[in-house]
Amino acid sequence: MTSIRQVKFALAALLCIASAAAGAQGITLASTTSTEQSGLFAHLLPLFKQASGVDVKVVAVGTGQALDIARRGDADALLVHDQAAEEKFVAEGFGLQRRAVMYNDFVLIGPKTDPAAARGSDIVAALRKISAGNAAFVSRGDKSGTHSAEIRYWTAAELANQRGSGYKECGCGMGPALNMAAATGAYVLADRGTWLAFKNRGDLTILVEGDKRLFNQYGVIVVNPARHPHVKVALAQQFADWITSPAGQAAIAAYKIGGEQLFFPNAGG
């Protein structure tokens, strides 16, 4: 006869197997602070879990750091927003394919009083005024997609090394950078999604928007298992396929704050 001890042992073994199987049904996604702090993932990931049974653990850092994490094989997939860096990542063999997912735009945030008179629809002209007036400006300084875009705009303004005495780098995410700007009355470049979700605005408002150079594109990449054989490529591919599918794209479009859409789907765009 089977002893109670044997039954307990068998049950424990089954639980271990079930736990291991459950653990296999999950991926690590390296992404940006903007997708996390805007609340987008809190909206999307339960829908993906419902559709696929796959859990997603998000590591939210700047895009540059996210790419580094994936290069080391510490993530199964990426959702980031620096297209040139993403294409380089794939070209170097670290990713299988870059697929467009969604877009929004960057906006220049600053005090309502606008001491540098930066308000308008030209980001380059605005930065020139901020530099000339030595106005306070908070830069993320973290090699994120937003920081990379900011550097492009300073370069276009021919001010890569002359940003004014008020320029400060925080080496931080989008939310903390906005908090610093709110506390000090500074200008800051932000993605619209995080700005719309940001509650501690103080005297800040959008001063520059609508410049076509402020376009902000996000892409998804599955990490190449040829580089890192332990990568859960099948599950990661499920995520990439879902977020670019009609269901995933509809879920992105449905995410709104105060009736305003934060991200616009454009898979294949």
Side-chain angles (χ1 to χ4, degrees):
M1 293 180 64
T2 303
S3 69
I4 293 175
R5 180 177 293 180
Q6 286 174 314
V7 170
K8 287 182 176 179
F9 180 81
L11 286 172
L14 286 170
L15 285 171
C16 285
I17 292 167
S19 177
Q25 287 295 109
I27 62 169
T28 297
L29 176 69
S31 191
T32 73
T33 61
S34 60
T35 45
E36 177 80 359
Q37 293 171 0
S38 65
L40 178 67
F41 282 144
H43 166 74
L44 284 185
L45 297 184
L47 297 174
F48 174 62
K49 173 68 180 293
Q50 185 178 18
S52 67
V54 178
D55 284 307
V56 179
K57 175 189 174 184
V58 176
V59 180
V61 291
T63 287
Q65 291 173 277
L67 289 163
D68 286 342
I69 287 169
R71 280 191 184 92
R72 296 193 302 268
D74 293 331
D76 303 295
L78 288 159
L79 181 60
V80 287
H81 63 139
D82 185 345
Q83 186 165 347
E86 295 162 41
E87 289 171 349
K88 183 173 183 285
F89 178 87
V90 172
E92 291 172 344
F94 290 103
L96 293 180
Q97 179 188 17
R98 180 196 178 276
R99 297 164 72 181
V101 173
M102 62 188 184
Y103 69 92
N104 62 8
D105 61 343
F106 295 112
V107 288
L108 184 70
I109 306 297
K112 293 174 183 175
T113 54
D114 190 17
R119 190 187 305 270
S121 58
D122 187 326
I123 186 62
V124 169
L127 292 179
R128 285 175 177 156
K129 291 176 181 178
I130 290 168
S131 173
N134 292 311
F137 185 100
V138 175
S139 170
R140 284 181 57 175
D142 63 348
K143 298 182 180 179
S144 61
T146 304
H147 182 223
S148 294
E150 180 210 315
I151 297 304
R152 289 198 301 272
Y153 305 145
W154 284 114
T155 301
E158 300 180 338
L159 292 168
N161 300 308
Q162 302 173 44
R163 300 168 195 168
S165 60
Y167 182 89
K168 299 289 186 296
E169 292 187 345
C170 69
C172 62
M174 195 69 260
L178 283 166
N179 277 320
M180 285 183 64
T184 60
Y187 294 88
V188 60
L189 185 75
D191 70 281
R192 190 182 292 271
T194 306
W195 169 250
L196 289 173
F198 183 62
K199 304 301 183 186
N200 184 33
R201 296 183 179 183
D203 191 44
L204 297 181
T205 190
I206 294 176
L207 294 174
V208 178
E209 60 183 331
D211 188 328
K212 64 182 181 181
R213 289 169 290 199
L214 294 170
F215 179 76
N216 180 29
Q217 172 73 56
Y218 290 79
V220 65
I221 303 171
V222 174
V223 175
N224 189 352
R227 289 278 185 147
H228 300 290
H230 64 275
V231 165
K232 297 174 182 175
V233 65
L235 299 182
Q237 192 64 56
Q238 270 189 266
F239 174 76
D241 290 344
W242 179 84
I243 204 168
T244 55
S245 73
Q249 295 281 282
I252 290 167
Y255 182 56
K256 299 178 181 181
I257 292 180
E260 191 162 355
Q261 189 170 331
L262 276 71
F263 299 92
F264 297 84
N266 72 333

